[in-house]
Amino acid sequence: MYKKLLKLILWCCIICSSLPPAHSQYFSHQLNLQDSSQVHILRTSRGDRFVGQLKDIRSTNLFFVLGNGDELTFAFREVVSIITWQEETLDGSKGWHRQFRGDPFKDGQKSSIGAENLIYSSTAFNYEPGEGEVRSFVFIVNIVDVGVAKGLSIGGGFVLPDIGILRMKATTPISKSLHLGAGVNMIFPLTDITDIEGVAHTYAILTSGNPDRFFNVTIGAFVALDSFSDDIFIASVGGGYRVAPQWRLHFEMVFGADEGAFIPAVGAVWQKGNFKLDLGLAGLPDTGIESTLIPILAIGFVF
């Protein structure tokens, strides 16, 4: 089963890497082609801005008339947004129209969907100071992360019934498309109900790409906080690809030195406004090689 799943994941990666960069399109619901007095603003994927009026849409072409009477024809794929003049002048403070200027998915824009984390691992993208996220996996694993400085975030949470988590991640870009990071997750019992000892998961991260199309590698270890347990090496490879304005697909494979453990996971994130929903399938640690993948369901809130 795992060999078949690995082949499927690899094919997904090949297909995603061969796709052209995704561009969102926004057409205002206030557009009225019958109103000759309405002024429209059209923006293209090259960053051009045209003021005039959208006259017609036929097949895959849009026909736009400028104020001087000249008519321009655009292929549908070239157009990023069309809004009314009133929306830009009165609602410009919302900043939504700036989101669709040029490449709407370029590095660092808030339009990215959850680039700071994959399924099991973190990436070398980080939260901006004062921003963060609350995530809950079926209300069992609950975590909050907050950016406290440029390239630095801290967080914490708990796992039912009585496991506590403290975490920190530091990241830095070393080029436009390459990012480095390091972090630690401190896992410890809150009461005597669960018979576990504390453990620290320390790791290094290398992320290539931008927040909407990236490949991620982590290398680290689970370091026992007692003198009786062995440390466990752990690494992961994964990536994410944004396929639509509100959807991102991702995959991850975790490798451990403990008897060659291999844990696969695939999933998707849907985000609308500040609300996020994670869906997918993942393996569990310490399960047999023929074990069935379990469904992932998580909700999140970005602030």
Side-chain angles (χ1 to χ4, degrees):
M1 183 196 74
Y2 274 61
K3 291 182 179 179
K4 294 180 180 179
L5 178 62
L6 179 58
K7 185 180 294 186
L8 175 61
I9 292 173
L10 292 176
W11 272 111
C12 289
C13 296
I14 294 172
I15 293 172
C16 286
S17 63
S18 65
L19 292 173
H23 290 276
S24 62
Q25 289 181 313
Y26 180 86
F27 291 78
S28 171
H29 67 279
Q30 297 186 27
L31 295 177
N32 183 359
L33 304 190
Q34 307 304 317
D35 184 355
S36 59
S37 64
Q38 193 176 70
V39 178
H40 303 154
I41 298 175
L42 181 149
R43 286 188 172 85
T44 70
S45 58
R46 296 174 302 187
D48 299 320
R49 176 181 180 274
F50 298 96
V51 178
Q53 189 172 48
L54 177 64
K55 283 299 183 182
D56 197 8
I57 301 177
R58 295 197 298 270
S59 184
T60 59
N61 293 322
L62 290 83
F63 299 90
F64 194 84
V65 178
L66 301 178
N68 60 7
D70 293 341
E71 183 175 290
L72 303 178
T73 302
F74 298 93
F76 192 81
R77 65 178 182 275
E78 296 178 299
V79 178
V80 172
S81 67
I82 305 179
I83 63 173
T84 66
W85 178 271
Q86 184 180 29
E87 285 176 298
E88 172 150 301
T89 56
L90 297 184
D91 299 335
S93 60
K94 296 180 180 178
W96 64 265
H97 62 279
R98 291 189 292 274
Q99 175 182 338
F100 293 93
R101 183 175 298 147
D103 183 355
F105 295 162
K106 68 183 180 180
D107 295 356
Q109 287 193 339
K110 295 180 185 299
S111 58
S112 64
I113 299 178
E116 298 82 9
N117 299 283
L118 282 172
I119 302 166
Y120 292 110
S121 306
S122 294
T123 72
F125 300 117
N126 221 329
Y127 301 99
E128 292 296 321
E131 298 180 358
E133 181 179 359
V134 179
R135 289 189 298 158
S136 178
F137 292 85
V138 292
F139 303 104
I140 297 176
V141 182
N142 306 277
I143 295 179
V144 179
D145 290 303
V146 181
V148 294
K150 188 67 174 179
L152 179 65
S153 63
I154 60 173
F158 62 92
V159 181
L160 295 177
D162 73 330
I163 299 175
I165 301 173
L166 291 176
R167 49 197 262 150
M168 180 179 67
K169 182 174 73 172
T171 61
T172 183
I174 58 176
S175 70
K176 184 177 180 181
S177 60
L178 200 60
H179 306 259
L180 288 177
V184 59
N185 295 307
M186 303 295 296
I187 304 168
F188 51 90
L190 296 175
T191 68
D192 295 331
I193 297 177
T194 302
D195 185 20
I196 68 167
E197 300 292 339
V199 63
H201 172 219
T202 60
Y203 58 92
I205 323 166
L206 177 66
T207 304
S208 175
N210 62 61
D212 289 292
R213 186 179 185 180
F214 61 88
F215 183 76
N216 194 69
V217 177
T218 70
I219 298 176
F222 282 100
V223 180
L225 301 183
D226 62 69
S227 58
F228 305 102
S229 303
D230 296 329
D231 300 339
I232 300 175
F233 168 83
I234 188 167
S236 72
V237 296
Y241 187 86
R242 187 171 181 181
V243 296
Q246 294 178 336
W247 284 96
R248 186 194 80 186
L249 302 180
H250 52 228
F251 77 98
E252 192 165 12
M253 291 176 282
V254 179
F255 304 89
D258 186 15
E259 298 182 357
F262 164 57
I263 310 169
V266 292
V269 175
W270 175 81
Q271 180 171 331
K272 185 173 180 62
N274 293 337
F275 178 78
K276 287 176 54 181
L277 181 64
D278 286 70
L279 303 168
L281 294 170
L284 284 176
D286 300 323
T287 56
I289 195 168
E290 297 299 331
S291 62
T292 304
L293 297 177
I294 65 168
I296 297 173
L297 175 61
I299 58 174
F301 182 81
V302 180
F303 56 89

